[in-house]
Amino acid sequence: MGPDTRPEAFTWAAYRELLRTAASAGYRLVDFGTLDAGEGGASEPALAIRHDVDYVPHWAARMAALEQSEGARSTYCLQPDSLYYSLDAPDVQEAVGEILRSGHWLGLHLDATGIPVDDRVVEAVVTEADSLAVRFDAPVRVVSFHMPGRRSVGQIELPDGLVNTYSPRFFDQIGYLSDSNMNWRGEDPSAVLSSRRHRRLQLLIHPFWWREESASMLEKLEELAADLSLDPSELISPEQREILD
Ligand SMILES: [Zn+2]
């Protein structure tokens, strides 16, 4: 296990510290439209935080409350085609309601790995974004794709009003930090923020990995599998399996 996968780095206390580091470094927390448009000469660096909600939104609601207590706003991308939660479930709707009442923005997380034709992906995005917006009575502008390593999504052009967070400019022109599978890919997020290396920066967070108490990736996945009445082998992705082995 490398230094960037230390379980203690994924506690709510550690996340609060990251938000404070960003604030001390002068980062202004912005939505993706503002981040995308550039700063037009503004003096402060800009940070947009995106949460991809892959598993039960309960953990996301906790992060949303923490962010609100720090005066932070971010975008929560919900997955209507998730295998692990349903937007129809009352507890899920309650969690999403809490996130929105905490002042955050709503985004779409979509699994396009089973849709080979890009035009069909665009249609699915438009349909699902509309339906998510109607369901929660909140605008949906931000789109993130689930498992982007399995199907190329950067070339997908979305209609005006929708932002594909995997467009090349979000990597070429804007800094990118991700906690995917409790691994910062060799970066120290605190150092990246405090150095102000990026005038525009996107931080991708998966709320499921962040907890009050530190725990390993396997512990969290086993607990979730038990909650969902699944065998861990049905839940753990090949990418996760590679890290765990
Ligand atoms: Zn995902």
Side-chain angles (χ1 to χ4, degrees):
M1 194 176 285
D4 51 5
T5 55
R6 287 167 303 139
E8 64 271 26
F10 291 86
T11 61
W12 291 330
Y15 187 67
R16 190 181 293 278
E17 275 312 304
L18 281 184
L19 292 176
R20 290 180 180 179
T21 300
S24 324
Y27 275 99
R28 194 162 56 95
L29 277 163
V30 297
D31 61 36
F32 273 77
T34 305
L35 188 77
D36 200 14
E39 282 305 283
S43 54
E44 300 160 307
L47 169 66
I49 302 176
R50 173 183 124 213
H51 296 267
D52 282 356
V53 182
D54 287 325
Y55 306 113
V56 279
H58 162 76
W59 304 109
R62 298 297 298 263
M63 298 285 284
L66 188 163
E67 288 175 332
Q68 184 187 33
S69 74
E70 293 292 318
R73 285 182 89 182
S74 62
T75 300
Y76 284 79
C77 296
L78 294 168
Q79 190 181 351
D81 58 3
S82 173
L83 299 173
Y84 306 117
Y85 65 91
S86 163
L87 295 179
D88 291 327
D91 61 327
V92 167
Q93 294 187 355
E94 178 54 32
V96 178
E98 282 174 35
I99 291 167
L100 296 176
R101 286 193 297 276
S102 302
H104 302 293
W105 298 290
L106 186 59
L108 173 68
H109 193 48
L110 193 82
D111 184 354
T113 58
I115 311 176
V117 178
D118 286 359
D119 286 352
R120 298 290 92 76
V121 174
V122 173
E123 288 170 13
V125 164
V126 169
T127 303
E128 295 293 353
D130 281 350
S131 124
L132 193 60
V134 168
R135 185 191 278 272
F136 293 107
D137 193 22
V140 172
R141 311 241 180 274
V142 176
V143 178
S144 76
F145 290 98
H146 185 58
M147 304 284 188
R150 293 190 191 175
R151 180 211 196 281
S152 82
V153 287
Q155 75 289 356
I156 292 174
E157 302 260 8
L158 297 177
D160 279 354
L162 291 172
V163 175
N164 175 1
T165 55
Y166 286 94
S167 290
R169 63 186 185 278
F170 281 100
F171 302 92
D172 304 343
Q173 297 166 32
I174 297 172
Y176 175 76
L177 259 183
S178 166
D179 72 345
S180 291
N181 289 326
M182 293 175 66
N183 186 329
W184 295 101
R185 307 298 183 273
E187 296 285 7
D188 173 347
S190 179
V192 171
L193 289 165
S194 56
S195 71
R196 289 199 276 184
R197 192 190 302 167
H198 305 285
R199 295 215 38 90
R200 289 189 288 158
L201 177 64
Q202 170 182 190
L203 176 61
L204 168 58
I205 297 290
H206 296 79
F208 174 73
W209 299 126
W210 298 78
R211 302 299 169 91
E212 176 142 47
E213 305 284 341
S214 67
S216 72
M217 185 173 157
L218 184 59
E219 287 170 314
K220 290 167 194 167
L221 289 168
E222 285 178 341
E223 182 196 49
L224 178 65
D227 286 349
L228 296 171
S229 306
L230 292 173
D231 187 87
S233 64
E234 297 173 80
L235 177 72
I236 295 173
S237 69
E239 291 84 352
Q240 290 163 344
R241 177 54 61 200
E242 205 167 296
I243 295 167
L244 292 167
D245 284 346

